Amino acid sequence: MDRAVQRRFVGLTAVVAALGMTAALSGCGSDTGGGDVTLRLVAADYGTGAENSSQKYWDDVAGKFEKDNPGIKVEVSVYSWKDVDREVAEMVKAGKAPDIAQIGAYADYADAGKLYTADEMIAIRTASNFLPSLTDAGQADGNLYGLPFVASTRLLFYNKGLFAKAGLGAPQTWDDIRRDATALEKSGVTYPFALPLGQEESQAETLMWLLSGGGGYTDEVGNYAIDSPVNIATFKWLKDNLVGKGLTGPVAPGELDRAKAFDAFTKGEVGMLNGHPTLMQEAEKKGVEVGMVPLPGIEGPTKGSMGVADWMMGFKQNGHRAEIGKFLDFAYNDDNVLAFADQYDLLPVTSSASAAMEADSKHKSLHEFLSALPNSQLYPFGKTSWAQASETIKEKIGSAVEPGGNPESVLVEIATQARQAESAE
């Protein structure tokens, strides 16, 4: 090789190396290498109708992002919560994964090697801003795959008007719940305590009761413990003291979905139920004065609350790592995070946005939920078996409290199937 060619070769190699190092250090540069890119985003709908559909929110975010990032387009598809997880699963199975999905679970996709890690996509400032309790739940094998998107905690809601009419104070223990529900039933309240153990979201209602009884879905080392003695005792108490005494209303808990229970609360037909921030907004719009307290426990208020988080993830299939990262960095700025949380009365998932909400008196009604979030207990999202275990809970838990039902046998059956799903991974 003559020296001129050699110099050009060495120079070109150095440039390529430098460019590669720059891309690696900055997180910039697409896996597919330049050119116009269209990102496909699939998201869940948190709205109750066309007027507050999440499609409007995402279209606005996408439009602002495209203006700041010429060459990157964002195509948004929003589906109802009943459909969105299935839609994404079908897309992935058909080899047409979206670039970004905002859905309810990430672990299966992470386990299959289909997702980018946070380190591969987003800036350090974005990753370090997430609330630690939420990023812990978004990890699998020590890597953050599920970026928390929005969160909520749960409190016991009660109808202040119905309680005042019956001469009752806010409940703090299970015995208080039983006595208050008995008084409400005698005063003609349709649902003294609404207990939605139907298939819509009974895994949430179940976890709230397990936590208030001192249990949970997993033990201290993360193994399924759904059939633990304390959990069995909790459901025996529910069956004997609320359901069996006719204090849960005209619809059997196993047939009562959360949406129906929440709707009845906004109509003034429910004395008490476990609720989240969005219900507070809807009830007050309809003139129901809402009282809220930490979940009552056996001897007093439960120390920890149930938390719920939904997840954002980036799929590898189309190779748009850098463009996905740019969009996510933009989507997680405080203005966007607070706009979404404000629209649906939910909680932000970043430290900076949480601090801003806490300092804003406009959000005073959410402050109690916000303070409960750092110590809240989430589902075991990092388990690839959780999606299947959750479905089993939704299908079977209602039968634990029905007439003739056996809480112990139902919880043992659910736990056995969860452990089988875990061992099959």
Side-chain angles (χ1 to χ4, degrees):
M1 182 182 299
D2 76 32
R3 291 185 179 180
V5 172
Q6 189 177 35
R7 283 195 298 270
R8 286 196 298 271
F9 179 80
V10 172
L12 178 59
T13 302
V15 170
V16 170
L19 287 173
M21 184 176 291
T22 300
L25 290 174
S26 68
C28 296
S30 171
D31 288 349
T32 55
D36 287 351
V37 165
T38 297
L39 296 178
R40 293 172 56 232
L41 165 66
V42 174
D45 194 354
Y46 292 75
T48 56
E51 70 283 352
N52 67 343
S53 169
S54 298
Q55 183 79 44
K56 292 182 178 180
Y57 170 83
W58 284 116
D59 285 345
D60 180 64
V61 171
K64 292 175 181 175
F65 174 79
E66 290 172 354
K67 185 177 180 180
D68 291 345
N69 295 271
I72 307 177
K73 301 294 182 184
V74 183
E75 181 183 287
V76 179
S77 299
V78 171
Y79 296 91
S80 73
W81 267 114
K82 288 185 177 181
D83 300 324
V84 67
D85 289 288
R86 186 189 71 251
E87 290 283 349
V88 170
E90 290 175 354
M91 292 174 190
V92 173
K93 186 177 180 180
K96 298 179 179 179
D99 296 288
I100 304 167
Q102 183 269 300
I103 51 179
Y106 66 86
D108 283 352
Y109 301 123
D111 186 62
K114 296 183 180 297
L115 302 180
Y116 291 116
T117 65
D119 288 346
E120 293 173 315
M121 296 185 297
I122 59 177
I124 293 173
R125 67 180 180 278
T126 304
S128 62
N129 198 24
F130 291 125
L131 295 171
S133 60
L134 300 180
T135 52
D136 287 348
Q139 293 185 25
D141 297 325
N143 291 307
L144 181 62
Y145 290 98
L147 310 185
F149 173 66
V150 73
S152 68
T153 52
R154 305 296 166 91
L155 298 172
L156 181 80
F157 283 35
Y158 63 97
N159 184 313
K160 284 187 173 182
L162 296 178
F163 265 61
K165 183 178 178 182
L168 303 173
Q172 296 190 41
T173 66
W174 284 2
D175 283 343
D176 292 342
I177 288 177
R178 177 180 50 79
R179 285 193 293 266
D180 291 350
T182 301
L184 291 167
E185 192 271 337
K186 289 180 179 178
S187 66
V189 175
T190 306
Y191 292 89
F193 193 105
L195 184 67
L197 294 176
Q199 291 198 24
E200 183 190 351
E201 207 196 18
S202 54
Q203 81 279 10
E205 185 72 18
T206 298
L207 181 55
M208 283 183 270
W209 280 102
L210 297 186
L211 291 173
S212 70
Y217 283 137
T218 58
D219 60 22
E220 63 277 3
V221 295
N223 296 320
Y224 283 118
I226 299 168
D227 55 349
S228 68
V230 291
N231 289 345
I232 291 168
T234 293
F235 268 80
K236 282 183 176 178
W237 187 91
L238 280 173
K239 182 176 185 292
D240 295 342
N241 291 274
L242 292 185
V243 183
K245 297 195 181 299
L247 302 177
T248 54
V251 180
E255 298 174 6
L256 182 65
D257 282 342
R258 181 189 65 170
K260 186 181 292 185
F262 280 15
D263 184 58
F265 187 83
T266 66
K267 293 177 180 176
E269 299 173 353
V270 174
M272 295 172 279
L273 51 61
N274 292 318
H276 60 60
T278 304
L279 174 61
M280 173 184 63
Q281 180 187 59
E282 293 299 314
E284 290 176 349
K285 281 181 182 176
K286 297 188 177 181
V288 174
E289 191 177 1
V290 180
M292 297 178 293
V293 293
L295 304 178
I298 297 172
E299 297 180 351
T302 304
K303 292 182 179 178
S305 174
M306 190 194 86
V308 174
D310 301 319
W311 307 99
M312 186 82 78
M313 62 212 70
F315 282 86
K316 292 180 176 179
Q317 181 180 315
N318 302 315
H320 296 153
R321 175 185 59 82
E323 292 83 2
I324 292 170
K326 283 184 179 180
F327 179 78
L328 292 176
D329 286 336
F330 180 83
Y332 279 107
N333 72 44
D334 281 358
D335 287 344
N336 290 328
V337 171
L338 286 168
F340 193 91
D342 188 44
Q343 182 170 352
Y344 298 109
D345 266 353
L346 292 169
L347 305 180
V349 296
T350 63
S351 297
S352 57
S354 295
M357 178 176 279
E358 192 170 16
D360 190 344
S361 60
K362 180 179 73 172
H363 298 293
K364 185 177 180 180
S365 61
L366 292 174
H367 288 175
E368 192 168 356
F369 294 96
L370 198 62
S371 64
L373 186 58
N375 297 316
S376 63
Q377 176 72 48
L378 279 72
Y379 303 134
F381 286 113
K383 288 180 174 289
T384 56
S385 58
W386 169 242
Q388 185 174 336
S390 176
E391 287 303 312
T392 304
I393 294 166
K394 288 190 281 188
E395 290 171 8
K396 300 183 181 297
I397 196 63
S399 62
V401 296
E402 66 185 13
N406 185 326
E408 182 173 3
S409 65
V410 172
L411 290 177
V412 167
E413 182 181 4
I414 292 171
T416 299
Q417 292 190 31
R419 293 184 186 117
Q420 288 173 345
E422 180 80 353
S423 63
E425 298 299 333

